[in-house]
Structures are given as C-alpha cells and as structure tokens.
C-alpha cells in the first residue's frame, strides 16, 4: 500500500439520495472517524477510527473532536459579476435587472475591474465552503477568461460561461448572435475540460435572446455535446408572461427545447412557476433545476414547489444566485430552503438539506461519479468545519444530541467562520 494521509475527526457524508431512499442508509456518520487521502488526491478509505487503520508510513492529521469533516458545498447557480451588488433592494426581477444588474455588469468591460471582483469572488466562495460552482460571467469574453484563470489559480472546480444576450437590455450589454457564438466557442475550446474546469453555454434567459441567438447556442451544444448549458427559467410570473409574448405557441421550457438546449448537462435556475407539461419536458430531457431560495425570497419571486419537482423526476441542486441571493453561504441556502418548505407544510431534515448542498449538487452538475461525497475512489474534496467556531455554535453544537442535530446547528447558525480548512483533490485551497 502506498502511504496515505489520514484525517481524524468527526465525519459526515451523504452517500445516497434521502428523497428517494431510506434516510438512515443515505449517509455515513462517525463520531470518531477518519478519511484517508492518497497521493493522487483520491479518497482511499473512510470509516470509524481505530489504532489499526494507520499503516507504516502513513501520516496522521488529528483534527480533534471539535472538527467535522464533510464534503465541500456545491453552488449550482450564481453570477460572479453580481458579488458587488448584493442587497440591491426594492424591485422584483425585471425591474431589478434594469435598475441594478445591467449597469453593474457593464463595468466588466474593464479587465482590471473583472480581476478585482474575481479575486474577491473566489475568496468568498471558498471561505464559505463552496468548492464547486456553476457560474455566470458577463457578456465580456476577457472578463470570462479572467474568472476561469482565477478559478484555475485556486484549484477551484468551476463551470463558467460567457453570458449570451442580444436583445431587451441596454445597448452597452448587447452583442450580435454571430459574435456571441464565436467568442463562446473560443472560450469553450480553451477551458472546457482543462483541469477541474468546464464550460457552460450561457444564454442569459429567453427574454434577452433572439431566436437567432438561441439557434447559435444550440449550434454550440450540437458541436460540443459534453458542454453544459446554463440559463434561467420560470423565476417570476411577469417574466413567464413576457416569454409567452416573445415566443408565442411555446411554453418556456419548450423555447429552450426547440433549440436543442435541454439535456442532462442543462441546469436551469429557479423553475418556481413551471407547469406539469414543462416538468414532463425537463424530465424527458434529464435537465436539472437549481433551486435558489434566498434569491426567490429577496426578489419576491415565489415559493419553490420542491416535492412537485422531485416527484416529476427532475434533479434539483441548491444555488445562492448571488447577487439576487444575499450571501454565498450554502449554510444559508440550506436554511432558506428549509423555511421555504416549512411555509408550504413540508419539513426537510438536516440530512435532506445537507444532501442538496453536497452530493445532490454534484448530481445536478453530473459530477457525482467524481465528487460530492466522501466515498472511496472519489476526489478528496472536503471541508473541515469547526464545531466551536463561534460562542453560539459552541453552545448550540455542544448540546447537540446527534449528528443530525449538529448538522442543524451548522445549517441555522453556521457561517464562514465555521469553515476552518478546505481541500480539493487532496490539496488545500486558500481563501
Ligand atoms: N434572469 C435573467 N438574468 C437574471 C439574473 O441576473 N438574476 C436572476 N435572479 N434572474 C435572472
Ligand atoms: Zn441567476
């Protein structure tokens, strides 16, 4: 056996979907456990600690009982350029886009600005425990390149795309369909599959796309079927109404489907107001929904019908949707997902929530074979959480009667102070 590094701590990891399986067999939990990481950055073993688990030559890192080792979080939808406009209050979606979002995104014409925000953006994500994310850039190719470069520099697992848009926005944020295609193609060829990075073909949403732009996006998807598609769907009732006007004879999901933009690598943000027929289309294509509860509350978009969507057979991940979401924290995303279901008379357990933020997110991004849980053979992508990070966490976590209750403490009162260390592919990532 080649030597490994053994991290000894409390360990918790989802290993299956608790929405579809017996909850008790959907995770592993060890009060005194360990994770062994090999030299290639893969998980070599996970289990209950004992003096026999270490072999000659292994390095033991004892993190103590105050540490919880768990998979890194997945943010399945957010906008890097909107970090600086978090908390832009007062409007619902369409007004908010015009008043705040478009002027903010226009600043990414300047590569210096893009670099500054990219640095802050990945600092914030990793500091909050997000180690993989599906990210919107702006229409600017150079800014998009900069977001990729910064992700690569950190060893971050990023899926990023240049926003495509050619109507219904101010002139300074519009491009033509041919240029949008050419620039997206160049970025895709440069970055898709380079190390931990992947490319997402990213038409902003139907209302800012002409039929020609969607046609060009579909051309890209046909040329590079392995690439992701990342867009928005059915977030806000006025938006849905607008799509019906712009694309008569089609429901929202059909618009994307018509242009060949829906398959299992397609991730659609929100899906708050989808019809049963649209859910049938998404299920048939295998497309995923990124549920962004914090954003849905902030913009007053509506209450996500989680069980209706899961029961229709559509895979769901969690997203922060910065900057309509007000924090990069997946702890908060879990807490808000809980509250959004509570007001609809559904109580999600910490096991369900933690699954959505980790393995469920990996599944939404088609990465569950590689990452998302602490299982032998997967990439060693994990967090070291500090159970005593704040006086309140120490107090609340200290009286936790079970792993389930400890997870609840992190979900409802955890924040970036709870993330002590982060590892991707066995390598520590900085923040
Ligand atoms: N729909 C189209 N663009 C956006 C955006 O930037 N944020 C959100 N929340 N929804 C959108
Ligand atoms: Zn969004």
């Amino acid at each position: 056996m080649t030597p490994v590094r053994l991290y000894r701590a409390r360990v918790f990891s989802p290993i299956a979907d608790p929405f579809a399986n017996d909850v008790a067999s959907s995770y592993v939990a060890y009060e005194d456990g360990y994770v062994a990481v090999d030299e290639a950055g893969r998980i070599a073993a996970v289990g209950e600690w004992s003096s026999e688990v270490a072999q000659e030559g292994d390095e033991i890192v004892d993190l103590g009982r105050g540490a919880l080792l768990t998979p890194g979080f997945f943010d399945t939808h957010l906008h890097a350029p909107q970090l600086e406009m978090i908390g832009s209050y007062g409007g619902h979606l369409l007004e908010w886009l015009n008043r705040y979002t478009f002027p903010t995104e226009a600043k990414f014409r300047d590569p210096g600005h893009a670099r500054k925000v990219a640095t802050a953006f990945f600092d914030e994500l990793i500091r909050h425990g997000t180690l993989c994310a599906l990210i919107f850039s702006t229409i600017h190719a150079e800014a998009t390149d900069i977001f990729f470069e910064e992700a690569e520099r950190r060893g971050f697992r990023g899926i990023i795309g240049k926003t495509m848009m050619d109507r219904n926005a101010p002139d300074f944020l519009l491009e033509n369909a041919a240029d949008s295609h050419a620039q997206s193609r160049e970025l895709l060829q440069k970055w898709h599959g380079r190390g931990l990075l992947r490319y997402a073909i990213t038409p902003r949403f139907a209302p800012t796309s002409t039929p020609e732009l969607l046609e060009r996006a579909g051309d890209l998807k046909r040329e590079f079927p392995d690439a992701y598609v990342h867009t928005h769907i059915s977030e806000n009732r006025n938006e849905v109404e607008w799509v019906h006007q712009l694309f008569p004879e089609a429901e929202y999901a059909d618009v994307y489907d018509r242009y060949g933009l829906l398959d299992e690598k397609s991730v659609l943000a929100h899906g708050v107001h989808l019809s049963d027929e649209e859910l049938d289309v998404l299920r048939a294509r295998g497309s995923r929904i990124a549920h962004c509860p914090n954003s849905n509350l902030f913009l007053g978009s509506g209450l996500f019908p989680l069980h209706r969507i899961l029961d229709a057979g559509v895979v769901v991940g969690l997203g922060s949707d910065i900057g309509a979401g007000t924090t990069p924290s997946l702890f908060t995303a879990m807490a808000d997902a809980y509250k959004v279901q509570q007001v609809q008379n559904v109580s999600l357990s910490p096991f369900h929530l933690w699954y959505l933020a980790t393995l469920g997110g990996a599944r939404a991004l088609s990465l569950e074979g590689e990452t998302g849980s602490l299982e032998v053979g997967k990439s060693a992508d994990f967090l070291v959480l500090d159970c005593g990070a704040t006086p309140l966490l120490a107090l609340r976590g200290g009286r936790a009667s079970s792993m389930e209750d400890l997870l609840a403490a992190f979900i409802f009162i955890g924040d970036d102070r709870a993330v002590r260390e982060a590892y991707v592919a066995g390598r520590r990532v900085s923040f």
Side-chain angles (χ1 to χ4, degrees):
M1 283 274 284
T2 51
V4 296
R5 182 176 287 172
L6 295 166
Y7 294 91
R8 180 181 178 184
R10 287 183 184 175
V11 173
F12 176 79
S13 176
I15 54 168
D17 179 358
F19 293 95
N21 298 278
D22 172 37
V23 175
S25 55
S26 72
Y27 62 85
V28 293
Y30 305 103
E31 286 297 331
D32 183 7
Y34 75 101
V35 175
V37 179
D38 70 19
E39 284 168 343
R42 302 230 153 240
I43 296 173
V46 185
E48 194 78 50
W49 174 265
S50 81
S51 54
E52 278 98 66
V53 298
Q55 309 287 315
E56 179 89 19
D58 290 349
E59 182 188 347
I60 298 171
V61 182
D62 192 344
L63 297 163
R65 288 261 304 142
L68 175 67
L69 232 145
T70 195
F73 296 137
F74 288 72
D75 192 333
T76 63
H77 173 71
L78 80 169
H79 301 253
Q82 297 176 14
L83 183 73
E84 61 173 289
M85 55 167 284
I86 284 176
S88 296
Y89 55 91
H92 289 79
L93 175 65
L94 301 176
E95 183 191 356
W96 175 86
L97 283 172
N98 283 312
R99 197 194 309 166
Y100 301 110
T101 313
F102 294 149
T104 302
E105 293 194 6
K107 291 162 69 181
F108 287 76
R109 221 177 6 228
D110 169 13
H113 181 72
R115 203 164 287 287
K116 189 183 83 182
V117 174
T119 305
F121 176 77
F122 288 105
D123 274 345
E124 287 304 325
L125 260 60
I126 300 164
R127 173 180 297 137
H128 284 86
T130 296
L131 302 184
C132 178
L134 176 57
I135 301 167
F136 260 74
S137 174
T138 58
I139 63 159
H140 308 98
E142 196 171 349
T144 309
D145 212 42
I146 287 168
F147 285 121
F148 270 115
E149 279 172 10
E150 189 61 25
E152 182 174 62
R153 197 175 72 74
R154 308 291 182 116
F156 186 89
R157 207 181 270 284
I159 309 166
I160 308 176
K162 184 195 106 64
T163 303
M164 306 172 79
M165 50 199 286
D166 70 343
R167 67 164 156 173
N168 291 323
D171 284 348
F172 54 75
L173 264 197
L174 293 180
E175 51 183 354
N176 70 55
D179 290 346
S180 186
H181 174 273
Q183 292 178 3
S184 299
R185 189 175 187 280
E186 195 172 320
L187 287 160
L188 190 159
Q189 286 193 298
K190 177 170 178 188
W191 292 107
H192 187 62
R194 175 159 150 177
L196 302 176
L197 302 172
R198 304 285 181 270
Y199 194 82
I201 300 160
T202 309
R204 179 173 215 117
F205 67 157
T208 50
S209 309
T210 61
E212 192 193 350
L213 185 99
L214 294 175
E215 188 74 49
R216 294 298 194 132
D219 287 345
L220 270 182
K221 179 65 182 169
R222 273 182 292 280
E223 188 179 357
F224 302 96
D226 180 54
Y228 290 84
V229 173
H230 185 195
T231 187
H232 298 88
I233 195 166
S234 202
E235 174 178 4
N236 164 292
R237 289 200 185 280
N238 293 337
E239 169 211 9
V240 174
E241 190 46 46
W242 195 20
V243 171
H244 290 154
Q245 287 164 19
L246 293 169
F247 297 90
E249 306 128 38
E251 285 216 79
Y252 205 155
D254 297 326
V255 174
Y256 296 136
D257 193 37
R258 233 190 238 175
Y259 293 99
L261 292 168
L262 297 183
D263 72 3
E264 61 284 352
K265 303 282 284 280
S266 307
V267 181
L268 315 175
H270 305 301
V272 177
H273 307 288
L274 292 167
S275 69
D276 289 344
E277 291 72 26
E278 288 179 292
L279 286 174
D280 285 345
V281 172
L282 298 185
R283 196 225 17 255
R285 301 288 177 249
S287 303
R288 316 295 159 92
I289 294 285
H291 170 36
C292 308
N294 184 273
S295 162
N296 294 164
L297 294 170
F298 182 77
L299 289 178
S301 301
L303 298 175
F304 184 70
L306 177 66
H307 279 282
R308 217 183 116 235
I309 299 210
L310 292 175
D311 290 348
V314 175
V315 174
V316 173
L318 275 184
S320 69
D321 192 26
I322 280 174
T326 57
T327 168
S329 172
L330 264 285
F331 295 120
T332 303
M334 287 190 272
D336 286 345
Y338 176 83
K339 294 168 193 169
V340 164
Q341 295 313 304
Q342 275 290 86
V343 297
Q344 301 179 87
N345 289 318
V346 175
S347 290
L348 296 176
S349 78
F351 297 127
H352 291 89
L353 294 164
W354 214 270
Y355 168 79
L356 287 174
T358 58
L359 184 56
R363 193 168 158 223
L365 301 180
S366 304
L367 292 172
E368 75 275 23
E370 174 67 7
T371 178
S373 60
L374 304 177
E375 293 181 87
V376 173
K378 285 198 180 182
S379 178
D381 299 357
F382 62 88
L383 304 173
V384 180
L385 299 183
D386 182 352
C387 303
T390 68
L392 183 57
L393 250 182
L395 181 72
R396 173 65 181 84
R399 55 142 262 180
S401 54
S402 60
M403 186 66 82
E404 182 174 5
D405 200 23
L406 179 65
L407 298 179
F410 279 114
I411 290 167
F412 294 108
I413 57 178
D415 58 29
D416 54 329
R417 293 169 293 180
V419 179
R420 198 199 285 172
E421 294 172 26
Y423 293 80
V424 176
R427 293 223 313 260
R428 190 152 174 195
V429 287
S430 62
F431 55 88

